[in-house]
Amino acid sequence: MTRLEAIEADITTLAVDVIVNAANSSLMGGGGVDGAIHRAGGPDIRDECIAIVERHGPLPTGRAVITTAGRMPAGHVVHTVGPVWGTVDEHEAVDLLASCYRSSLDLARDALAASIAFPNISTGVYHFPKRLAAEVAIQAVSDWVGDDPGTVESVTFVCFDRDNLVFYRDLLRI
Ligand code: ADP
């Protein structure tokens, strides 16, 4: 059975098979976790992202792509674009956020990953309410692993602030 856990950490330091980046559609890096991943990973990730956007165009919200992890200890980075709270109705925002988690897990499974770590997608500058985002994330991941987890043995929710850690620990009952 796939293990779900929540920790407080900087996602760029984790030696898991896949870390997920809360990117924007341009894949060119930005602030928050996106900036941290590009800084820690180095220019190779940006070059791969440029090639992806040249080939396929900007990444739509809710979708994901995979690159190497450059200088970070992780194996790969999955870049996904979360919804910006307030730009679509709440129902659609929830669907799009759930889609980020599912699309990322699909790519991790395709890459034969055993371990994947997620940041709290959309809860930074995209202002998705943190508790609702945690509920959506845990539900989407639980449904996905219940369906066909393939090689994925562990999913880590990486919290960068205390609020998120408290919500995740409460919802996961750990
Ligand atoms: P978004 O645009 O999707 O809201 P942000 O990067 O602004 O993305 O925030 C997403 C989450 O990532 C926030 O909860 C933020 O605290 C967290 N975060 C920022 N830096 C890191 C990091 N180095 N490791 C893990 N999480 C981080």
Side-chain angles (χ1 to χ4, degrees):
M1 212 173 99
T2 306
R3 195 173 63 251
L4 273 57
E5 62 171 2
I7 61 169
E8 194 172 16
D10 173 352
I11 203 166
T12 64
T13 66
L14 300 183
V16 289
D17 294 327
V18 170
I19 62 170
V20 177
N21 181 16
N24 57 57
S25 293
S26 75
L27 299 182
M28 287 303 101
V33 69
D34 196 8
I37 284 174
H38 280 275
R39 273 194 304 278
D44 288 359
I45 300 177
R46 192 185 159 85
D47 290 347
E48 287 179 65
C49 285
I50 290 171
I52 290 167
V53 172
E54 276 175 4
R55 239 176 303 132
H56 303 290
L59 185 63
T61 305
R63 302 273 291 278
V65 295
I66 192 165
T67 66
T68 58
R71 298 192 291 253
M72 289 182 289
H76 287 87
V77 180
V78 163
H79 307 260
T80 188
V81 182
V84 181
W85 186 255
T87 59
V88 291
D89 71 36
E90 187 172 328
H91 187 75
E92 192 179 345
V94 164
D95 280 351
L96 287 166
L97 186 61
S99 171
C100 287
Y101 285 89
R102 286 194 301 269
S103 310
S104 299
L105 287 162
D106 286 344
L107 289 178
R109 184 178 54 201
D110 291 348
L112 304 180
S115 52
I116 178 169
F118 284 98
N120 307 132
I121 299 166
S122 284
T123 68
V125 295
Y126 284 3
H127 292 302
F128 205 105
K130 289 179 182 176
R131 188 174 174 100
L132 177 59
E135 288 169 1
V136 172
I138 291 170
Q139 189 64 53
V141 171
S142 300
D143 289 347
W144 188 93
V145 301
D147 206 18
D148 176 17
T151 51
V152 178
E153 292 169 3
S154 85
V155 179
T156 304
F157 297 103
V158 181
C159 302
F160 205 58
D161 61 71
R162 260 309 137 104
D163 289 351
N164 271 315
L165 188 67
V166 168
F167 291 142
Y168 273 90
R169 293 231 153 130
D170 179 33
L171 292 163
L172 290 167
R173 285 175 187 72
I174 49 176

